Amino acid sequence: APFINAFFVAGWEHERMDVAWKLAALDAETLLTVTFVTLSLQKLTARERPFVKECQINPSLSECSIGGKYASFPSAHTSVVFAAVALECFHHGFLDTTHTGWGGAVCPVTIVVATGTAVLRIAADRHWATDVITGALLGGGLGYAIPALHLAFAGNKETTAVITPAISPSYMGLSIAGRF
């Protein structure tokens, strides 16, 4: 949704394809960072999903044969969807100055959809409530912080920062390089 919205609002409605491409790159950076952080936390915590206890009693359940039994904390679905919400709200907060029509409704509508995703993850016995709450805070926080940092440093042409994820079979991390 943030990618479509970037091209629809900035590119088509405001006729600024240059801004649309920048927003799309910002969306990709944010969503990749949120996914990387979330999956890293899942590997580090290795928390059991709620259905795993039931698998110990009845190992023939269909859920018991799938992977990811120890990837409950935080909820990746929730963190990514709340990052998308933050991006949508951020984009419309700066692009749509009139806040009418879809521009006025996008933030509340996406919050409702994201909250529904979080609730359904609990209802499907895939996550504990703390998993989705943490995922929402993580995704929403990074989804707002990353574009806000870009905007804060945009006025100073001398300031550059690059965040690069690094993944190998024995190592996971982020490197930050820049000039401040």
Side-chain angles (χ1 to χ4, degrees):
F3 297 104
I4 294 168
N5 194 28
F7 287 105
F8 177 72
V9 174
W12 182 67
E13 187 178 338
H14 294 282
E15 297 178 351
R16 292 291 311 268
M17 283 307 288
D18 59 323
V19 173
W21 282 109
K22 287 177 184 177
L23 290 176
L26 181 65
D27 294 344
E29 176 189 1
T30 302
L31 293 173
L32 286 170
T33 302
V34 168
T35 301
F36 177 79
V37 170
T38 301
L39 295 178
S40 297
L41 285 171
Q42 285 181 346
K43 293 284 185 193
L44 287 171
T45 59
R47 184 178 189 185
E48 283 185 348
R49 292 186 186 267
F51 68 80
V52 173
K53 298 237 185 275
E54 188 67 31
C55 289
Q56 294 167 350
I57 298 166
N58 186 0
S60 64
L61 291 173
S62 62
E63 289 98 1
C64 301
S65 62
I66 65 168
K69 292 182 200 175
Y70 299 96
S72 186
F73 182 84
S75 169
H77 284 86
T78 306
S79 66
V80 169
V81 76
F82 271 91
V85 166
L87 287 167
E88 290 286 319
C89 295
F90 193 90
H91 292 344
H92 279 276
F94 287 96
L95 288 175
D96 185 13
T97 56
T98 59
H99 300 292
T100 58
W102 174 241
V106 69
C107 199
V109 167
T110 55
I111 289 171
V112 169
V113 170
T115 303
T117 299
V119 169
L120 289 173
R121 297 305 290 166
I122 296 169
D125 214 21
R126 302 310 245 177
H127 291 285
W128 307 97
T130 53
D131 300 339
V132 297
I133 291 168
T134 304
L137 292 172
L138 175 70
L142 287 174
Y144 190 83
I146 291 171
L149 286 171
H150 277 281
L151 185 64
F153 291 123
N156 184 355
K157 297 296 180 194
E158 303 244 349
T159 304
T160 58
V162 178
I163 300 172
T164 308
I167 303 171
S168 76
S170 61
Y171 173 81
M172 253 194 294
L174 288 174
S175 67
I176 301 173
R179 196 172 42 171
F180 299 94

